[in-house]
Amino acid sequence: MAKIIVLIGAPGAGKGTQARLLQERLGIPQISTGDMFREMKTLDTPLAREVQEIMASGKLISDDITYKIVQDRTSREDCRNGYILDGYPRTAVQAAQLEDLAKEQGFDIQAIEVDVPRDELMKRLTGRRSCSVCGEIYNIYSKESVSTRLATYDEQTKPLLDYYENSGRLGKVDGTGELEQIYTQLSKLVTG
Ligand code: AP5
Ligand code: MG
């Protein structure tokens, strides 16, 4: 049955990395709200500037703006057999909006937590990396921004784990170790 796979995890947990593997191997698209917002970087509009400022601070873009881009992206033809959401939903309001969208599109939702301990996340987030959109190498985020992102995750996104667990739609993978080992756990949940 076609479905929406929702990857939930703290910043740096490896959602994007695993979602891209799922996309390659299952042939359904990976949709990352973070990547879509980063793509707006090249635009010089008031909305793009606002998005950039909020992202730099580590806080979340408004639920309604985020919903619009998800609704728009998932209405494309390549999503007809389901899709992978990476970094969405991130708030209770977004989770409720996604329920309506899934109903409209005729998909079930399967949520999977990518679990990584805090000290490992800090290591990953304070290193250097290249932008998944433009390839540019950058010193990821300031310490303040990293702690704001983690605190935002704890306050607004972590409660979604209970939400999906309570409706019997949550699986979990250990997000530490080799990429292939993590992918094996993930694909068992997705295809099993
Ligand atoms: P977003 O782009 O979603 O960022 P994030 O989830 O906070 O963090 P990452 O994308 O860095 O983490 P990830 O879990 O994808 O890990 P990755 O695979 O890259 O969001 C950015 C911002 O956009 C938000 O702060 C917010 O402002 C806004 N935004 C986005 N979505 C929104 C929404 N729904 N609502 C409102 N605002 C929204 O891996 C991380 C690193 O670890 C990489 O270097 C990778 O190589 C490494 N790594 C991965 N797996 C492993 C492993 N197994 N072992 C060792 N290293 C690993
Ligand atoms: Mg990501």
Side-chain angles (χ1 to χ4, degrees), residues 123-147:
K123 265 190 234 154
R124 293 185 192 176
L125 291 170
T126 46
R128 287 166 69 85
R129 60 203 271 208
S130 64
C131 171
S132 54
V133 177
C134 64
E136 186 186 325
I137 304 280
Y138 58 101
N139 237 340
I140 326 177
Y141 298 96
S142 67
K143 271 228 168 84
E144 295 76 48
S145 159
V146 168
S147 31

Side-chain angles (χ1 to χ4, degrees), residues 94-131:
Q94 291 180 13
Q97 289 173 323
L98 180 63
E99 295 294 353
D100 292 342
L101 185 66
K103 229 175 256 158
E104 243 170 63
Q105 296 174 334
F107 292 136
D108 286 336
I109 295 173
Q110 177 179 23
I112 301 175
E113 177 187 8
V114 182
D115 182 35
V116 174
R118 205 41 66 100
D119 54 342
E120 168 74 15
L121 291 174
M122 289 305 289
K123 265 190 234 154
R124 293 185 192 176
L125 291 170
T126 46
R128 287 166 69 85
R129 60 203 271 208
S130 64
C131 171

Side-chain angles (χ1 to χ4, degrees), residues 12 14-17 33 38 59 61 87 90 94 129 149 177:
K15 302 178 296 293
T17 306
T33 42
R38 268 186 294 279
K59 295 192 181 134
I61 316 296
R90 266 169 139 103
Q94 291 180 13
R129 60 203 271 208
R149 287 166 73 206

Side-chain angles (χ1 to χ4, degrees), residues 146-191:
V146 168
S147 31
T148 306
R149 287 166 73 206
L150 290 170
T152 304
Y153 175 77
D154 288 342
E155 282 159 25
Q156 308 208 49
T157 311
K158 226 174 167 185
L160 299 187
L161 297 173
D162 284 339
Y163 171 75
Y164 288 115
E165 172 85 64
N166 292 339
S167 50
R169 295 178 293 173
L170 184 72
K172 180 174 173 170
V173 298
D174 174 357
T176 60
E178 296 296 320
L179 299 189
E180 283 298 331
Q181 270 173 12
I182 302 165
Y183 182 77
T184 303
Q185 300 170 54
L186 195 59
S187 68
K188 268 190 201 143
L189 290 175
V190 167
T191 56

